[in-house]
């Protein structure tokens, strides 16, 4: 069960963190039932559009509720600062606050915006917190907030239907790894659209969680580790990120893996006890996925991997076991039509990098960046395998990968506990 | 005549024997000092080696980005390097003590010179070690970045960065040691000036378009092409 600090213990500290203007604003509003953050609304126009979309849906969805919309202070709205009665049933207040737009997997900005949301929400005494980092639809808000508001869940995250070549870092590493480690089948652990309860907010704002300004883990993982109620809400395709994706894949991959691996180090006591995984309740109907048969152009990826195998072998050898290294060498020699990275090899690569990261065998930044060519090899292998597969077959393929991660977890466990044990 | 020759011979023999007799205790003292220092050095080296191995000194150095040290170490083990360094330092001190048994002023002069030079030597050693660490760190970063960008000359770039830093820090160390004097400065001015000039000429006169095209082809276009089909994030 979750161990929670009573609200009165640190509520003063949280409200004190707010800048004076924000505190005054919060005092004027008085209180709120639901606080919604829209960090992607950086301009007045985008804020107007978002409020225009959300406002009509609120009376039916949140009757007699006080809603505060937290938006970046760079966006100015014509009705800003005014309490608006919408249909006499729900009041909506706009609350400008320093926020930065959240790109998918931009850990730092997501973490800061989430903290802003929770701090303001806690000052206002909110019961439900919603962050919409990429999606600003009334359906999305209703879908996410509903389980938290009415069904007692502590966290609701979207379960997007994704195309076979979308969110590949999530599909190939983040989801299977978090599933195997934490035992919960949460498909998007790094969701930027989410709804959470006051109980989880309390947990997140605990002094131990707030130590340092860097995110040490995602809120989804914190909720699972705390034994809180988590659910997924089925949505259509993942919306395009509000912030354009960085072109440096290596930096993005290193950023994601850094947070993920640091979280594993912090939660080692928890995940070492976890065996297998359990499904998480999903609300909504799954969308029908269109069949995609575009052939994948993976030539450049394979070339990068082969170059990595030639030039980065010494660095990989520091982290990888000799057998895995040998498997990668063999893979580099294969022609494109036979290019296939076995799940077991891929899982060993990930686990060895986790161990290398933990033991700081070399600079962590270098270690994680050096993984890019191997990740590209996995993408190429996966793309070649599923390029003509049906959505169902793709799902089965991903399930096999997840099972491989779970099956090989004892390897990670033994190397984690006894790093000096012989590892052929 | 013969008596005088005999006298001279006797006197010289006496002088030599007396000199040797005077030298003998010093010689014995020198040998004893060397033997004792060897004994102390061996014990100290052994203990140091054992304690460093017990704390996994080599592995710790690798994790602190000091893996470069292992390459200049005997059997690639910094533990051996440190223990041998201590071993020879003790023997050196023993030798100095032994020499003092012959002539105290000679040792004093030597000690003055050695200790006067020691700070420079220490700074030079630190510079070389630091340069080695920085060079390897930068070289590795450049190599990883180049491979991730699929550049074919990544290893060359990395090697260039590594040696540039090593040569630079070695020159700084030599200057601290007072070796080479102005020749080192001059060589560096020529080398760096030459490199910068060559780069400026290459980019400015003939290769600007070539470099631009090469980088575009190898990074931007490829990224765009793959980004169209694959979304990693």
């Amino acid at each position: 069960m979750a161990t929670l600090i009573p609200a009165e213990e640190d509520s003063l500290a949280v409200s004190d963190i707010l800048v004076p203007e924000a505190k005054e604003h919060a005092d004027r509003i008085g209180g709120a039932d639901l606080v919604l953050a829209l960090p992607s609304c950086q301009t007045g126009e985008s804020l107007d559009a978002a409020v225009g979309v959300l406002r009509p849906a609120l009376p039916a969805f949140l009757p007699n509720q006080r809603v505060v919309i937290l938006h970046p202070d760079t966006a100015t709205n014509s009705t800003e600062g005014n309490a608006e009665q919408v249909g006499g049933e729900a009041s909506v207040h706009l609350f400008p606050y320093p926020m930065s737009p959240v790109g998918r997997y931009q850990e730092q900005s997501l973490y800061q915006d989430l903290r802003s949301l929770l701090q303001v929400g806690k000052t206002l005494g909110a019961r439900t917190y919603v962050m919409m980092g990429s999606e600003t639809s009334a359906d999305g808000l209703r879908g996410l907030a509903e389980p938290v508001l009415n069904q007692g869940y502590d966290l609701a995250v979207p379960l997007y239907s994704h195309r076979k070549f979308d969110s590949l870092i999530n599909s190939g590493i983040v989801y299977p790894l978090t599933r195997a480690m934490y035992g919960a089948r949460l498909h998007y652990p790094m969701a930027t659209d989410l709804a959470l309860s006051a109980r989880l907010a309390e947990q997140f704002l605990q002094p131990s969680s707030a130590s340092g300004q860097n995110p040490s883990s995602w809120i989804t993982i914190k909720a699972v580790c705390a034994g809180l109620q988590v659910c997924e809400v089925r949505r259509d395709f993942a919306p395009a990120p509000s912030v354009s994706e960085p072109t440096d894949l290596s930096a993005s991959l290193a950023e994601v893996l850094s947070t993920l691996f640091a979280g594993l180090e912090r939660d080692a006591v928890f995940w070492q006890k976890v065996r297998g995984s359990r499904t998480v309740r999903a609300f909504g109907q799954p969308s029908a996925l269109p069949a995609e048969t575009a052939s994948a152009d993976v030539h450049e990826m394979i070339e990068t991997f082969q170059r990595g195998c030639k030039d980065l072998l010494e660095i990989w050898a520091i982290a990888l076991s000799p057998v895995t290294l040998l498997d990668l060498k063999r893979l580099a020699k294969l022609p494109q039509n036979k290019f296939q990275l076995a799940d077991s090899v891929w899982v060993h690569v990930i686990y060895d990098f986790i161990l290398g990261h933990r033991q700081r065998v070399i600079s962590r930044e270098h270690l994680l960046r050096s993984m890019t060519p191997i990740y590209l090899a996995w993408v190429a292998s996966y793309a070649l395998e599923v390029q003509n597969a049906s959505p169902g077959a793709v799902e089965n393929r991903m399930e096999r990968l997840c099972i491989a991660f779970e099956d090989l977890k004892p390897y990670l466990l033994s190397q984690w506990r006894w790093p000096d044990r012989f590892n052929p | 005549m013969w008596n005088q020759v005999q006298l001279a011979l006797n006197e010289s023999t006496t002088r030599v024997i007396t000199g040797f007799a005077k030298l003998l205790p010093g010689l014995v003292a020198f040998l004893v000092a060397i033997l004792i220092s060897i004994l102390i050095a061996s014990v100290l080296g052994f203990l140091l080696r054992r304690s460093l191995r017990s704390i996994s000194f080599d592995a710790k150095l690798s994790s602190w980005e000091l893996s470069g040290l292992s390459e200049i170490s005997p059997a690639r083990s910094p533990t051996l390097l440190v223990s041998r360094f201590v071993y020879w330092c003790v023997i050196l001190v023993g030798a100095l003590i032994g020499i003092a048994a012959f002539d105290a002023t000679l040792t004093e002069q030597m000690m003055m010179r050695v200790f006067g030079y020691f700070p420079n030597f220490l700074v030079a050693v630190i510079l070389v070690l630091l340069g080695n660490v920085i060079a390897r760190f930068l070289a590795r970063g450049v190599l990883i970045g180049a491979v991730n960008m699929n550049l074919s000359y990544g290893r060359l770039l990395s090697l260039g960065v590594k040696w540039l830093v090593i040569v630079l820090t070695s020159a700084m160390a030599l200057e601290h040691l007072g070796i080479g004097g102005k020749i080192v400065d001059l060589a560096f001015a020529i080398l760096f000036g030459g490199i910068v000039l060559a780069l400026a000429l290459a980019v400015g006169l003939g290769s600007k378009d070539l470099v631009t095209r090469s980088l575009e082809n190898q990074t931007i276009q490829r990224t765009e092409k793959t980004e169209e089909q694959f979304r990693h994030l």
Side-chain angles (χ1 to χ4, degrees):
Chain A
M1 273 305 290
T3 49
L4 299 174
I5 286 178
E8 58 269 24
E9 265 186 42
D10 64 340
S11 58
L12 181 68
V14 168
S15 63
D16 282 350
I17 295 167
L18 295 183
V19 291
E21 299 82 39
K23 266 179 85 176
E24 277 176 31
H25 202 148
D27 290 341
R28 276 204 306 276
I29 293 171
D33 297 298
L34 184 143
V35 181
L36 164 67
L38 299 174
S40 55
C41 295
Q42 292 285 316
T43 61
E45 292 78 35
S46 59
L47 180 63
D48 278 337
V51 173
V53 166
L54 298 172
R55 189 189 288 154
L58 292 175
F61 166 48
L62 297 163
N64 302 316
Q65 303 267 316
R66 292 164 301 167
V67 178
V68 168
I69 297 179
L70 197 67
H71 63 86
D73 52 5
T74 51
T76 49
N77 181 275
S78 49
T79 56
E80 191 179 316
N82 299 324
E84 293 179 72
Q85 288 300 122
V86 183
E89 290 174 331
S91 66
V92 179
H93 292 269
L94 294 179
F95 196 117
Y97 200 77
M99 296 175 99
S100 49
V102 182
R104 255 180 280 177
Y105 304 141
Q106 285 186 309
E107 308 300 338
Q108 194 61 47
S109 46
L110 172 62
Y111 178 78
Q112 293 300 344
D113 289 350
L114 199 54
R115 282 191 69 76
S116 302
L117 166 69
L118 301 185
Q119 282 161 359
V120 171
K122 187 164 183 184
T123 309
L124 292 166
R127 289 186 299 118
T128 307
Y129 304 73
V130 182
M131 158 92 93
M132 303 198 78
S134 56
E135 195 181 8
T136 46
S137 70
D139 273 356
L141 172 63
R142 189 185 298 117
L144 285 173
E146 177 70 21
V148 178
L149 271 172
N150 302 324
Q151 305 203 37
Y153 281 94
D154 292 296
L155 177 70
V157 287
L159 167 51
Y160 293 116
S161 311
H162 70 274
R163 295 175 180 86
K164 60 178 83 162
F165 299 145
D166 269 3
S167 309
L168 288 165
I169 293 178
N170 185 66
S171 306
I173 306 171
V174 180
Y175 168 57
L177 183 62
T178 51
R179 170 177 154 171
M181 295 296 119
Y182 297 96
R185 296 181 189 177
L186 267 174
H187 292 77
Y188 287 88
M190 289 177 283
T192 57
D193 300 321
L194 41 91
L196 52 150
S197 67
R199 199 152 66 124
L200 179 54
E202 193 77 51
Q203 189 92 341
F204 192 80
L205 288 174
Q206 273 183 20
S208 57
S209 303
S211 59
Q213 288 302 302
N214 291 319
S216 56
S217 185
W218 302 298
I219 196 159
T220 44
I221 302 300
K222 282 182 194 289
V224 171
C225 290
L228 301 177
Q229 294 293 309
V230 181
C231 71
E232 291 181 308
V233 179
R234 286 201 177 87
R235 302 290 305 144
D236 291 334
F237 293 114
S242 52
V243 177
S244 59
E245 290 189 6
T247 46
D248 188 358
L249 169 65
S250 170
S252 310
L253 185 68
E255 192 182 1
V256 172
L257 295 183
S258 172
T259 310
L260 187 58
F261 292 177
L264 285 175
E265 253 186 276
R266 204 201 54 180
D267 304 324
V269 175
F270 176 86
W271 63 256
Q272 288 187 50
K273 295 174 192 160
V274 174
R275 297 285 180 277
S277 63
R278 60 181 171 79
T279 50
V280 170
R281 186 170 174 192
F283 293 94
Q285 294 301 313
S287 329
L289 289 167
E292 299 166 83
T293 54
S295 66
D297 179 13
V298 295
H299 175 71
E300 300 280 358
M301 293 183 188
I302 294 175
E303 204 179 85
T304 305
F305 169 66
Q306 286 166 336
R307 200 173 295 289
C309 237
K310 203 175 77 184
D311 291 341
L312 299 182
L313 214 57
E314 285 170 22
I315 297 171
W316 292 348
I318 298 172
L320 298 178
S321 64
V323 171
T324 311
L325 206 61
L326 195 67
D327 286 332
L328 291 180
K329 276 189 206 168
R330 280 192 197 128
L331 181 70
K333 287 176 189 157
L334 294 177
Q336 186 171 317
N337 57 350
K338 288 182 182 167
F339 194 86
Q340 194 173 12
L341 178 60
D343 284 350
S344 59
V345 178
W346 174 235
V347 177
H348 272 112
V349 166
I350 299 290
Y351 286 169
D352 284 343
F353 270 84
I354 291 172
L355 296 164
H357 183 268
R358 183 197 178 204
Q359 290 162 18
R360 295 174 188 269
V361 287
I362 54 167
S363 148
R364 287 181 160 182
E365 176 79 6
H366 285 173
L367 182 77
L368 297 179
R369 279 178 181 260
S370 75
M371 213 186 112
T372 310
I374 313 180
Y375 164 74
L376 288 175
W378 176 81
V379 173
S381 163
Y382 165 76
L384 289 170
E385 196 180 339
V386 304
Q387 58 185 341
N388 296 314
S390 65
V394 175
E395 208 163 298
N396 289 340
R397 176 69 195 84
M398 295 319 301
E399 184 61 22
R400 283 207 305 280
L401 179 65
C402 292
I403 290 168
F405 267 87
E406 288 179 19
D407 287 346
L408 287 169
K409 188 175 171 183
Y411 166 78
L412 178 66
L413 263 175
S414 86
Q415 292 295 322
W416 186 281
R417 289 176 181 163
W418 303 285
D420 295 329
R421 179 178 276 190
F422 177 61
N423 178 21
Chain B
M1 169 72 182
W2 178 245
N3 285 340
Q4 282 175 336
V5 170
Q6 200 174 12
L7 192 67
L9 268 173
N10 283 341
E11 277 176 1
S12 69
T13 310
T14 312
R15 269 203 307 274
V16 168
I17 290 170
T18 313
F20 186 71
K22 276 183 184 171
L23 198 70
L24 202 61
L27 194 68
V28 173
F30 176 77
L31 287 173
V32 169
I34 289 286
L35 283 173
I36 291 173
S37 65
I38 287 174
L39 193 72
I40 294 172
S42 304
V43 172
L44 215 65
F46 174 74
L47 289 176
L48 196 65
R49 215 163 35 244
R50 277 197 70 170
S51 28
L52 288 179
R53 279 188 181 145
S54 69
I55 59 162
S56 307
F57 182 66
D58 294 356
K60 279 201 171 72
L61 274 191
S62 304
S63 65
W64 297 336
E65 291 296 329
L66 286 165
S67 54
L69 202 62
S70 63
E71 290 194 10
I72 55 166
S73 307
R76 296 180 69 85
S77 165
T79 300
L80 274 184
L81 182 76
V82 172
S83 59
R84 282 190 190 173
F85 179 74
V86 171
Y87 177 87
W88 284 110
C89 277
V90 173
I91 289 183
L92 185 73
V93 171
L96 285 173
I97 293 168
I99 292 168
F102 287 109
D103 187 352
T105 42
L106 185 69
T107 318
E108 199 177 320
Q109 281 171 0
M110 273 177 71
M111 290 296 278
M112 288 289 283
R113 291 195 67 173
V114 166
F115 282 108
Y117 200 59
F118 190 70
N120 287 357
F121 175 74
L122 200 69
V123 172
V125 168
I126 291 171
L127 272 173
V128 168
L129 285 177
L130 212 65
N132 206 277
V133 171
I134 294 171
R136 278 164 203 285
F137 184 84
L138 291 178
R140 197 198 294 142
V142 167
L143 181 63
I144 292 168
V147 169
N148 288 343
M149 289 168 78
N150 204 6
L151 298 180
S152 51
Y153 42 85
R155 196 167 271 278
L156 193 71
L157 267 178
S158 150
L159 213 63
V161 168
K162 181 177 154 184
W163 280 105
L164 211 65
V165 177
I166 286 179
V167 168
L168 182 73
T169 48
S170 301
M172 286 162 75
L174 283 176
E175 201 178 330
H176 265 278
L177 290 172
I179 298 170
K182 286 187 176 172
I183 294 172
V184 176
D185 293 347
L186 203 65
F188 258 87
I190 293 167
L191 189 69
F192 271 88
I195 291 169
V196 172
L197 187 66
L199 282 173
L201 285 173
V203 176
L205 294 178
S207 315
K208 189 184 166 193
D209 292 338
L210 186 73
V211 170
T212 312
R213 265 203 314 276
S214 161
L215 289 176
E216 273 177 4
N217 286 341
Q218 296 202 38
T219 60
I220 301 166
Q221 286 179 6
R222 191 189 69 249
T223 310
E224 283 173 357
K225 200 165 68 183
T226 51
E227 286 296 323
E228 282 170 12
Q229 196 171 19
F230 300 99
R231 258 172 63 179
H232 299 283
L233 297 179

mmCIF file of all heavy atoms in Angstrom, chain A residues 25 53 85 103 105 252:
data_model
loop_
_atom_site.group_PDB
_atom_site.id
_atom_site.type_symbol
_atom_site.label_atom_id
_atom_site.label_comp_id
_atom_site.label_asym_id
_atom_site.label_seq_id
_atom_site.Cartn_x
_atom_site.Cartn_y
_atom_site.Cartn_z
ATOM 1 N N HIS A 25 -3.377 35.127 -7.183
ATOM 2 C CA HIS A 25 -4.381 34.630 -8.124
ATOM 3 C C HIS A 25 -5.153 33.453 -7.517
ATOM 4 O O HIS A 25 -6.372 33.377 -7.602
ATOM 5 C CB HIS A 25 -3.695 34.217 -9.425
ATOM 6 C CG HIS A 25 -4.619 34.199 -10.608
ATOM 7 N ND1 HIS A 25 -4.198 34.494 -11.882
ATOM 8 C CD2 HIS A 25 -5.940 33.935 -10.724
ATOM 9 C CE1 HIS A 25 -5.226 34.390 -12.706
ATOM 10 N NE2 HIS A 25 -6.287 34.050 -12.031
ATOM 11 N N VAL A 53 -12.818 24.897 -27.433
ATOM 12 C CA VAL A 53 -13.157 23.478 -27.630
ATOM 13 C C VAL A 53 -13.634 22.848 -26.320
ATOM 14 O O VAL A 53 -14.597 22.074 -26.296
ATOM 15 C CB VAL A 53 -11.911 22.725 -28.184
ATOM 16 C CG1 VAL A 53 -12.092 21.225 -28.093
ATOM 17 C CG2 VAL A 53 -11.636 23.135 -29.613
ATOM 18 N N GLN A 85 -19.186 31.840 -15.720
ATOM 19 C CA GLN A 85 -20.214 30.844 -15.494
ATOM 20 C C GLN A 85 -20.587 30.244 -16.845
ATOM 21 O O GLN A 85 -20.944 30.967 -17.770
ATOM 22 C CB GLN A 85 -21.462 31.507 -14.878
ATOM 23 C CG GLN A 85 -21.271 31.915 -13.428
ATOM 24 C CD GLN A 85 -20.951 30.763 -12.515
ATOM 25 O OE1 GLN A 85 -19.927 30.758 -11.854
ATOM 26 N NE2 GLN A 85 -21.807 29.781 -12.475
ATOM 27 N N GLY A 103 7.263 18.444 -25.192
ATOM 28 C CA GLY A 103 7.404 17.563 -26.338
ATOM 29 C C GLY A 103 7.412 16.155 -25.803
ATOM 30 O O GLY A 103 7.747 15.940 -24.642
ATOM 31 N N TYR A 105 8.668 12.896 -24.538
ATOM 32 C CA TYR A 105 9.950 12.472 -24.001
ATOM 33 C C TYR A 105 10.885 13.631 -23.675
ATOM 34 O O TYR A 105 12.084 13.441 -23.564
ATOM 35 C CB TYR A 105 10.672 11.505 -24.956
ATOM 36 C CG TYR A 105 9.855 10.302 -25.292
ATOM 37 C CD1 TYR A 105 9.855 9.775 -26.561
ATOM 38 C CD2 TYR A 105 9.064 9.706 -24.328
ATOM 39 C CE1 TYR A 105 9.103 8.671 -26.877
ATOM 40 C CE2 TYR A 105 8.306 8.602 -24.632
ATOM 41 C CZ TYR A 105 8.331 8.097 -25.911
ATOM 42 O OH TYR A 105 7.590 7.009 -26.206
ATOM 43 N N SER A 252 17.879 12.124 -27.973
ATOM 44 C CA SER A 252 16.551 11.759 -27.462
ATOM 45 C C SER A 252 16.608 10.393 -26.777
ATOM 46 O O SER A 252 16.059 10.203 -25.695
ATOM 47 C CB SER A 252 15.538 11.680 -28.607
ATOM 48 O OG SER A 252 15.596 12.823 -29.378
#
